[in-house]
Amino acid sequence: MKRREFLMTSTAAGAVALSTGLMGGRAFAAPGVLDVFFNSDVNVVDFWTMNVKPGFEAANPGVTLNLVSGGGGAQMNAIADRAMAALQTATDPQVDFMEAMGPYYPAGAIDAGLWVDFSTAGLSNFGIVNPVVMESKWALPYRGSQVVMFYNSEKIATPPSTFEELTAWIKANPGRFAYARPDVGDSGACFIERALQEVMGKDLSLFTNDNFTPEYAEPMFAKLWAYLNDIAPSLYGEGQYTGGNTPSIQLLASGAVDMTIAWSDMALEAMRKEVVPPSAAVAQLKDLAFVGGFSGVVVPNSAANKDLALKLADYVISPEVQNKVVSELGGFPGINWEAMDPELQAKFKDVAPTSIPSFPGGTWEPPLFDGWYRNVGVGLSAG
């Protein structure tokens, strides 16, 4: 797919999603129909459509995967809220499987027993999951990615190597850098989370899955808003923000900016498909890397098709799918590299990550995103 086709296809895909109400739309449970909601971008949904869905359905005759774009963080949280409410009333949550979702939302979900404990679920492939990427037993990691600087090497000979250098570059090159609104583009969320880590002295211990309170976070957020408002006049359009990960890449592809923030898998895919100029390149900060992590899947204990959902979870961490996560999606596997195809092991042995800095989602991100709209993206509407 060439650049112009990419721009047209992405625009069309977005229009279709909006016109059909898929963004956060409600699915209806039916026997043999597994409702899978996605928190990821269109490239991941495409990967499932072309790889996971046909493989799983062929191995399970009579089963259909209903793949639904969840519409991003806030709307996925609303689906999790619905599942929590359904658990408490012993009704059908109308969701069987959630992709790229952590188990720490809603508050109290784990204690209430909302999510399946994968360590006791009897998955045949659970033993080959890489323990380094397993952050909790309620979310099954199946693909890794990391946020990177995605830039035009013809305009930037030497990319910034520290966040301080990145800030200096943004200010020295007004209008040539863009990032996404945090609630609709995870790359934008990761940018402001890295900025938060920066203004707090890169002390990652300040941010954990269970230590958020408004009183604790507010002094930190105040420093973040000051930083983001300081660089805002130097951003694309003197403070315009893209509507997601793909639009950020489109700005780079069209030459409207020289640098943006992107997920590594999306950037590598754009380069592989030649939808960005040949001069496009990726770089990572050396002082403290951008936030990244492994996307997990969660399954509600009350899902109408729970047994099928667990079969699907087992399938996505099988070597068959994990090899495609690397070769087709440009991601990192959630299982031990020793279980992967030997050719892939050899090809990626020098870039296989042993750790990726992370930022807690759960109760941290909703107030962080809400605060961004009230203090930085003033006048913009969330979602």
Side-chain angles (χ1 to χ4, degrees):
M1 183 186 293
K2 300 302 182 183
R3 193 185 327 170
R4 179 172 297 179
E5 295 172 299
F6 168 74
L7 298 174
M8 295 174 64
T9 300
S10 297
T11 302
V16 169
L18 291 173
S19 65
T20 57
L22 290 180
M23 306 302 285
R26 179 172 175 163
F28 296 90
V33 178
L34 202 58
D35 294 318
V36 180
F37 282 79
F38 287 83
N39 199 20
S40 296
D41 221 310
V42 63
N43 68 316
V44 176
V45 181
D46 287 346
F47 171 76
W48 276 66
T49 301
M50 293 184 287
N51 296 279
V52 179
K53 178 178 171 68
F56 185 74
E57 291 178 350
N60 297 275
V63 175
T64 299
L65 296 189
N66 178 34
L67 308 181
V68 185
S69 174
Q75 295 184 60
M76 286 292 279
N77 285 348
I79 296 170
D81 286 334
R82 187 176 76 205
M84 185 72 162
L87 178 71
Q88 294 166 339
T89 56
T91 55
D92 180 2
Q94 297 184 354
V95 54
D96 296 308
F97 192 102
M98 299 181 74
E99 188 269 350
M101 189 73 186
Y104 299 102
Y105 188 92
I110 292 174
D111 291 340
L114 177 60
W115 308 118
V116 164
D117 176 352
F118 287 107
S119 68
T120 60
L123 305 187
S124 63
N125 291 309
F126 187 78
I128 59 174
V129 173
N130 187 345
V132 171
V133 306
M134 190 84 185
E135 293 186 347
S136 87
K137 56 187 179 181
W138 300 279
L140 192 65
Y142 86 103
R143 65 177 180 86
S145 186
Q146 193 165 11
V147 167
V148 294
M149 293 174 288
F150 198 18
Y151 68 100
N152 185 339
S153 62
E154 287 186 346
K155 301 294 182 64
I156 306 172
T158 304
S161 62
T162 66
F163 199 85
E164 184 176 0
E165 289 181 9
L166 173 60
T167 301
W169 186 91
I170 292 171
K171 290 185 174 181
N173 297 273
R176 308 309 298 170
F177 177 85
Y179 72 89
R181 300 192 332 249
D183 62 322
V184 295
D186 280 345
S187 60
C190 291
F191 176 74
I192 70 169
E193 287 161 2
R194 177 61 182 83
L196 179 59
Q197 293 167 339
E198 182 72 12
V199 299
M200 295 310 300
K202 304 183 185 70
D203 184 356
L204 303 188
S205 68
L206 295 173
F207 313 101
T208 65
N209 285 312
D210 57 3
N211 72 344
F212 174 83
T213 67
E215 295 76 19
Y216 176 70
E218 185 53 38
M220 305 182 196
F221 285 178
K223 291 184 179 181
L224 175 64
W225 310 145
Y227 167 80
L228 294 175
N229 282 320
D230 182 51
I231 65 168
S234 302
L235 300 178
Y236 170 73
E238 298 182 346
Q240 293 185 30
Y241 306 91
T242 73
N245 303 309
T246 298
S248 292
I249 294 176
Q250 289 173 335
L251 283 184
L252 181 69
S254 67
V257 299
D258 297 330
M259 185 190 297
T260 187
I261 299 297
W263 282 101
S264 58
D265 56 341
M266 295 185 72
L268 294 175
E269 182 184 44
M271 295 167 70
R272 179 168 58 85
K273 293 183 175 179
E274 301 180 5
V275 298
V276 289
S279 56
V282 297
Q284 184 56 270
L285 298 177
K286 305 299 183 186
D287 55 342
L288 175 63
F290 277 104
V291 170
F294 279 76
S295 295
V297 300
V298 297
V299 173
N301 267 311
S302 56
N305 296 301
K306 177 181 172 182
D307 289 344
L308 278 177
L310 293 180
K311 290 187 71 173
L312 177 60
D314 203 25
Y315 180 63
V316 298
I317 58 170
S318 67
E320 174 186 349
V321 172
Q322 291 294 298
N323 286 329
K324 292 178 180 177
V325 164
V326 177
S327 61
E328 303 295 326
L329 191 58
F332 300 120
I335 64 175
N336 294 318
W337 279 91
E338 292 76 13
M340 301 290 288
D341 180 279
E343 290 187 9
L344 292 177
Q345 292 183 46
K347 183 176 180 180
F348 291 96
K349 62 181 177 61
D350 293 329
V351 297
T354 56
S355 66
I356 297 178
S358 62
F359 184 86
T363 53
W364 273 92
E365 287 193 337
L368 177 63
F369 297 171
D370 179 65
W372 185 88
Y373 278 98
R374 287 187 285 105
N375 295 278
V376 181
V378 178
L380 298 176
S381 298

